[in-house]
Amino acid sequence: MTAESRSLRSAHKPLAFDPIAEAGRQWATRWGETAVPAMMAVTSVMRVQQILMSRLHQLLKPFGLTFPRYEALMLLYMSRSGALPLGKMGARLQVHPTSVTNLIDGLERGGLLRREQHASDRRKTLAAITKDGREVAEAATLVLNEAGFGTEPLGEHDAELLTTTLRSVRVHNGDFVDNEDV
Amino acid sequence: MTAESRSLRSAHKPLAFDPIAEAGRQWATRWGETAVPAMMAVTSVMRVQQILMSRLHQLLKPFGLTFPRYEALMLLYMSRSGALPLGKMGARLQVHPTSVTNLIDGLERGGLLRREQHASDRRKTLAAITKDGREVAEAATLVLNEAGFGTEPLGEHDAELLTTTLRSVRVHNGDFVDNEDV
DNA sequence: GAAGATTGATGAATCAATCTTT
DNA sequence: AAAGATTGATTCATCAATCTTC
């Protein structure tokens, strides 16, 4: 593996051991084994999030998109009218109002959406996807679809297992009311 | 639930549905079901990472620590001599050299470690944990241990399941050489 | 006063470019 | 030339404070 190809995946020489497992071993010797599984799970989520984000950014770079911007763009693409109030976008994307402003700023700079006035409530701002925005959304989605959203080497089963397990954390956090399986 | 208590957990009113499941449904109608599990898994990891980070920051706030800084501090605390070269810390924490510089800056500002010169190689910089650093490390660890690292409502089994599933992604990314189970 | 969005601040992550030392 | 660390730039996340509109 050349230095260039490696730099696309990790900034360092591969370690000869699993750093998370090693942390777990050292941990157990000082604080016992009770919290080790939780500690390792948290660290794993943090690390894999970085890996996935990095892969997605590689895939989306040709379109001038980041993954958060892609998510925001797709939310508009999927919507009926192609326009949504910024507040509603924040609720769906589960991000802070400030983040919505920044995301929409970036997408508007790229001409993928326009800010528009809400008809009845002048406090509200609408984000409306443009023709360019729709084209980019479709092209980027094709690429992500083919690349399996960078989830290699996870199969369908593992992906669903992950979603299910993590869903309980999201429910417990109060993101949404769990009324699907009632 | 009051507005204050809610703001500690999510910035928005809870949705009446699971936003990730809803995205999956809409997705399937336009691009088929093939990539849906991958898409939902990726989005779940991103969201849960944010939730966990937020909880950890709440827990660590009293110590003037963020979770990345806590990880760096613990790496020093666990080390034999209490001092490590910055490059080695980056390799273990799996972060960019620039991030190491920033992390060490923050910890040094708080007096939890000191920069020192490497004995033989003057290119290298050492981070050495201080007495204050050790005390904060122990106190913060107690809190995180009691709080199960914010992994509620995950039990030991789910935590281990998560770690195992995510490990394959880390291996595939080339973070480390998988020679544990050979 | 509350709701919706923005600005200004901080922390973390990355990359590119720079600087010193080997 | 290569290794190690830093600085400067960009993006995303948060919070606090502000501003307009309801």
Side-chain angles (χ1 to χ4, degrees):
Chain A
M1 182 164 56
T2 66
E4 292 92 40
S5 75
R6 195 178 61 233
S7 74
L8 291 177
R9 299 158 48 121
S10 61
H12 298 277
K13 244 197 312 275
L15 293 167
F17 56 92
D18 179 352
I20 294 181
E22 174 61 19
R25 275 189 291 271
Q26 296 190 350
W27 191 275
T29 66
R30 286 166 223 236
W31 286 282
E33 297 189 355
T34 12
V36 169
M39 187 268 285
M40 290 178 67
V42 165
T43 313
S44 297
V45 170
M46 302 293 180
R47 179 60 189 147
V48 169
Q49 187 268 347
Q50 284 176 5
I51 291 171
L52 292 176
M53 193 67 97
S54 170
R55 289 184 188 168
L56 292 168
H57 283 176
Q58 288 297 338
L59 294 166
L60 292 171
K61 205 172 189 176
F63 305 100
L65 286 177
T66 61
F67 185 62
R69 285 181 190 171
Y70 170 80
E71 282 187 290
L73 187 63
M74 288 310 291
L75 192 57
L76 291 176
Y77 182 89
M78 298 284 208
S79 70
R80 281 188 187 284
S81 65
L84 289 172
L86 301 200
K88 183 165 259 178
M89 294 186 70
R92 281 294 294 271
L93 299 172
Q94 310 268 221
V95 294
H96 198 275
T98 310
S99 301
V100 178
T101 297
N102 289 334
L103 288 175
I104 269 56
D105 279 353
L107 290 168
E108 191 171 32
R109 257 198 311 273
L112 306 186
L113 60 77
R114 281 190 310 270
R115 274 184 171 84
E116 294 180 355
Q117 287 244 330
H118 187 92
S120 56
D121 191 337
R122 274 184 303 176
R123 290 174 304 179
K124 290 197 175 81
T125 302
L126 295 177
I129 193 169
T130 61
K131 190 164 177 293
D132 280 4
R134 288 197 181 275
E135 289 170 3
V136 169
E138 286 171 5
T141 297
L142 276 180
V143 169
L144 291 190
N145 250 329
E146 283 176 12
F149 278 80
T151 55
E152 285 173 350
L154 261 40
E156 182 176 322
H157 175 72
D158 279 342
E160 286 172 349
L161 187 63
L162 219 44
T163 301
T164 303
T165 308
L166 295 176
R167 203 180 92 103
S168 69
V169 179
R170 298 190 294 116
V171 172
H172 187 263
N173 188 246
D175 277 353
F176 61 97
V177 179
D178 183 14
N179 55 8
E180 309 231 341
D181 310 303
V182 180
Chain B
M1 183 162 57
T2 67
E4 291 93 41
S5 75
R6 194 179 60 232
S7 73
L8 290 177
R9 301 161 41 133
S10 61
H12 297 278
K13 241 193 318 271
L15 293 168
F17 56 92
D18 179 352
I20 293 181
E22 174 61 19
R25 274 189 292 270
Q26 297 190 349
W27 190 275
T29 66
R30 284 164 225 237
W31 285 281
E33 297 189 355
T34 15
V36 169
M39 187 267 286
M40 290 177 67
V42 165
T43 313
S44 297
V45 170
M46 302 293 180
R47 178 60 189 151
V48 169
Q49 188 269 346
Q50 284 176 7
I51 291 171
L52 292 176
M53 193 67 97
S54 170
R55 289 183 188 168
L56 293 167
H57 282 176
Q58 287 299 336
L59 294 167
L60 292 171
K61 205 171 190 177
F63 305 100
L65 287 176
T66 61
F67 185 62
R69 285 181 189 170
Y70 171 79
E71 283 187 290
L73 186 64
M74 288 311 291
L75 193 56
L76 291 176
Y77 182 88
M78 298 285 209
S79 70
R80 281 186 189 284
S81 64
L84 290 172
L86 301 201
K88 185 165 258 180
M89 294 187 70
R92 282 295 295 271
L93 298 172
Q94 310 268 221
V95 294
H96 197 276
T98 310
S99 301
V100 179
T101 297
N102 289 333
L103 287 175
I104 268 58
D105 279 353
L107 289 168
E108 191 171 32
R109 258 198 311 273
L112 306 186
L113 61 79
R114 279 190 311 270
R115 274 184 170 84
E116 293 181 356
Q117 287 243 332
H118 187 92
S120 56
D121 190 338
R122 274 185 301 177
R123 289 174 304 180
K124 290 196 175 79
T125 302
L126 295 176
I129 192 169
T130 61
K131 190 163 178 295
D132 279 5
R134 288 197 180 275
E135 289 171 3
V136 168
E138 286 171 6
T141 298
L142 276 181
V143 169
L144 292 190
N145 250 330
E146 283 176 12
F149 278 78
T151 54
E152 285 171 350
L154 260 40
E156 183 176 320
H157 174 71
D158 279 342
E160 286 172 350
L161 187 63
L162 220 43
T163 300
T164 303
T165 308
L166 295 176
R167 203 181 92 103
S168 68
V169 178
R170 298 190 295 116
V171 172
H172 187 264
N173 188 247
D175 278 352
F176 61 96
V177 179
D178 184 15
N179 55 6
E180 307 230 343
D181 310 303
V182 180

